[in-house]
Amino acid sequence: MSNEPVVTERVAYSAEELETATARFTSYYLQSIADRNGESVAAVMERAGEDVISAGVLSYLRAGRETGPETGTQEYLTWVASGTFLNLMTLLPARGCSEEQWSTLYRRAIDIAARATG
């Protein structure tokens, strides 16, 4: 695992934040798809592709830094991440990062999820 931060939108997220965001996206979203289809999370990630995975992980990175009345609860994180995910998938400027940063985020998320799910 890389302990290097991942940088997007001029924000550096720590390796720990990236790992937490990837775990949340995997458990709240990808695992249910994998279970329903009888396949691995890695297979779901590969099929979903770079844009979906990067948007999903970045949405949880951003949600992890939000504050509000229910900050830290799964419901609040999912609510913030869902809105962010839609923006990231429909508005390229919402990404706020270069293509290289976007690809790096994807590769790091794939590595983290592969280690976590075997």
Side-chain angles (χ1 to χ4, degrees), residues 12 27 34 36 46 53 65-66 91 106-107:
S27 69
R36 184 174 56 245
E46 184 177 328
I53 302 306
R65 290 201 172 172
E66 286 287 322
L91 305 169
Y106 171 70
R107 289 189 307 274

Side-chain angles (χ1 to χ4, degrees), residues 35-87:
D35 291 347
R36 184 174 56 245
N37 295 338
E39 59 188 343
S40 69
V41 169
V44 173
M45 291 178 95
E46 184 177 328
R47 194 175 66 244
E50 183 175 305
D51 285 342
V52 170
I53 302 306
S54 294
V57 172
L58 184 54
S59 67
Y60 277 97
L61 280 167
R62 289 181 181 174
R65 290 201 172 172
E66 286 287 322
T67 57
E70 299 175 4
T71 301
T73 65
Q74 179 179 341
E75 293 80 13
Y76 183 77
L77 285 168
T78 301
W79 178 75
V80 171
S82 296
T84 302
F85 181 82
L86 290 174
N87 284 335

Side-chain angles (χ1 to χ4, degrees), residues 2-117:
S2 175
N3 288 325
E4 295 292 317
V6 63
V7 178
T8 64
E9 69 213 305
R10 295 179 297 278
V11 173
Y13 296 98
S14 70
E16 182 180 343
E17 286 176 298
L18 179 59
E19 206 153 316
T20 299
T22 301
R24 286 179 174 148
F25 181 61
T26 300
S27 69
Y28 299 163
Y29 183 70
L30 299 176
Q31 188 64 58
S32 62
I33 295 170
D35 291 347
R36 184 174 56 245
N37 295 338
E39 59 188 343
S40 69
V41 169
V44 173
M45 291 178 95
E46 184 177 328
R47 194 175 66 244
E50 183 175 305
D51 285 342
V52 170
I53 302 306
S54 294
V57 172
L58 184 54
S59 67
Y60 277 97
L61 280 167
R62 289 181 181 174
R65 290 201 172 172
E66 286 287 322
T67 57
E70 299 175 4
T71 301
T73 65
Q74 179 179 341
E75 293 80 13
Y76 183 77
L77 285 168
T78 301
W79 178 75
V80 171
S82 296
T84 302
F85 181 82
L86 290 174
N87 284 335
L88 291 170
M89 290 301 292
T90 57
L91 305 169
L92 284 178
R95 293 179 180 178
C97 58
S98 70
E99 288 296 321
E100 182 179 333
Q101 291 168 327
W102 191 249
S103 293
T104 298
L105 179 61
Y106 171 70
R107 289 189 307 274
R108 296 273 305 276
I110 292 287
D111 290 345
I112 291 167
R115 279 193 315 278
T117 60

